[in-house]
Amino acid sequence: MLNRTTFSEKSFDSINVIFLTFLMIITIYPIVYVAFASISDAGALMGHKGILWRPLGFSLDAYTNVFRNPMILKGYGNTFFVVLVGLFFNIVLTAFGAYALSRKSLAYRKPLLLFIVFTMFFSGGLIPLYLTVKGVGLVDSLWALIIPQAINTFNLILMKTAFEAIPDALEESAKIDGANDFVILFRIILPLSMPVIAVMLLYYGVSHWNSWFNAMIFLQDRSLYPLQLVLREVLLQGEASSNLGASDGASAMLSVTLKYATIIVATVPILLVYPFLQKYFVKGALIGAIKG
Amino acid sequence: MNTISPETVMPFIPKKRSRLGILIDIRKNKLLYVMLCPVLLYYVIFHYGPMYGAIIAFKDFSPRLGIWGSDWVGFEHFQAFFTGPYFWRTIKNTILISFYQLLFGFPAPIVLALLLNEVRHALFKRTVQTITYMPHFISLVVICGIIKDFTVSDGVMNDIIVFFGGERTTFLLEPSFFRSVYVTSGVWQHIGWGTIIFLAALTGIDQEQYEAAKIDGAGRWKQMTNVTLPGLMPTIIILLILEVGRMMNIGFEKIILLYNPGTYETADVISSYVYRVGLQDFNYSFSSAVGLFNSVINFILLICSNWLSRKFNDTSLW
């Protein structure tokens, strides 16, 4: 055991704990502030100055309004569609690529991998991508948020590394039993790779849930807007009152709390999922980091 | 390793790769190629397609004539960018923002990892980790919304500044504050997440070195500077080199969410300029030229930094 009796060591420990506690407070406070503000009484919040220590009054009006708002509900629906359908494509295609490229019997796997990895380092740029997506006819469809993001090369490499760690003997015995590559992938490799699948679900899921830029450039039809794009209007373009149908005085006041309720509603799903997947994504981040 | 070599499975395949090699490989691994089909198709269309499309940087692209039908103009658009009024401004902003990010954002997770490593109380350590990872998962739109809300003149930041006797500033409307807001919020969002890799590297340090240091009379601080930090050095160096390789690759999403015409002077980077000129002003060819210039610089930087990393660290991306 460490000898921790000296004064300097004790003071080092206390300063460290104080500093880290301070850091936690700074990190969590903005989120707590938003949570407090969202359940505060709109009038009280407007008149308030300075740090918020607790909710000012209590009112769930903002939340009722969020869930009554067609734009936000539609956004929620669109985001769910993109996340669910997107994840399906992400997992299947990434697994296909990762599995094929992890097989040693594939003679051309090095050049094929290079062909794929090269895209991490060089890209045609934003405008050519836009023209491509437009050329394929995906503009103004939710598929524009799914198909062009079907595979993330970094994730593919991460998955390939995980597949390579599975002992070859398993595959061989399956082959002897007459299993083909699809059977091996779905019945043996994927069930054995649950940690990496969890990482994939989280990484891809978070990126779909949080993405707004592609929606902004590829979608003109407002009824297709995902949640983050609606949020952008509410939070950053100050269109809360006009877009959310709060035109009269009382509702304009409500829009102050509405903003915060919308943030909570858009963020809670992620914050609920991530602690459960934490042990996996730390592992995933490491596999990824080692591979570059 | 006891893998079945191709020879044992199919002895009739000639060992030397013939011109027909790829066809033989396809026949041998039929199903693998079936799986690869959609994957390669995706890369061809959505990655190599835009690379081909980037030739519009050398053309006067008109949607009516298409990529191939438009007229060649050579390096005209590049020249226009290099001699235009925004060349130095966007280059300067790109480099400065990346540089500040490197200066403050890079060491922050290292320091946090070192401090976390000194925490003896496991539950406290986990709590700090869980909480500091959290902002990494919050969407950029929400983060920027919170930044805006906190930094407006009657926002929380200003209330705190006034409490300490300062004056109110609307940070996002002041060009002089843009970079600070950008970099600080970035550190806030990613400091915890960044510690993961360093904490992992820390577990790889030989415990006997600590024993030896203690016998030599080193206190906690000395152990940290003489054992822990040198142990982290390889990881630090490779990440630093990679980070330098990404210097010019600064993302435009956060910039676009936070900037406004009043702060373009310090906020507009190459990628946000590409977005504005291309997708807001529909100046496709010019914007593609700027984007291509950026891609090429990125690529060169990455090659160089990878070369450096291989030289010093014996580790590289390829």
Side-chain angles (χ1 to χ4, degrees), chain A residues 267-288:
Chain A
T267 309
V268 157
I270 294 274
L271 294 188
L272 280 184
V273 178
Y274 114 90
F276 296 104
L277 293 168
Q278 194 174 346
K279 58 176 176 180
Y280 295 128
F281 70 64
V282 169
K283 199 185 288 174
L286 290 177
I287 306 173

Side-chain angles (χ1 to χ4, degrees), chain A residues 13 50 115 228 259-260 274, chain B residues 48 130 139 149 159 220 302:
Chain A
D13 277 333
F115 178 80
Q228 299 294 335
K259 182 166 75 177
Y260 298 113
Y274 114 90
Chain B
Y48 287 92
T130 306
S139 82
D149 205 78
D159 290 338
R220 294 272 287 284
L302 213 103

Side-chain angles (χ1 to χ4, degrees), chain B residues 3 43 57 92 119 143 147 149 191 211 226 230 242 274 315:
Chain B
T3 28
Y43 279 97
K92 188 183 118 200
V119 173
I143 296 285
I147 293 173
D149 205 78
I191 184 172
E211 298 301 325
N226 292 341
L242 284 175
V274 168
T315 357

Side-chain angles (χ1 to χ4, degrees), chain A residues 2 26 57 62 78 84 87 108 141 144 158 163 180 230:
Chain A
L2 273 174
I26 291 181
N78 291 333
L84 292 178
L87 276 179
Y108 289 84
S141 131
L158 210 147
F163 288 173
N180 67 33
V230 179

Side-chain angles (χ1 to χ4, degrees), chain A residues 66-78 227:
Chain A
V66 164
F67 286 112
R68 234 190 262 142
N69 184 281
M71 232 5 227
I72 291 174
L73 285 184
K74 197 86 187 115
Y76 234 93
N78 291 333
L227 192 58

Side-chain angles (χ1 to χ4, degrees), chain B residues 191-204:
Chain B
I191 184 172
W193 184 253
T195 59
I196 292 178
I197 185 163
F198 296 110
L199 285 170
L202 283 173
T203 58

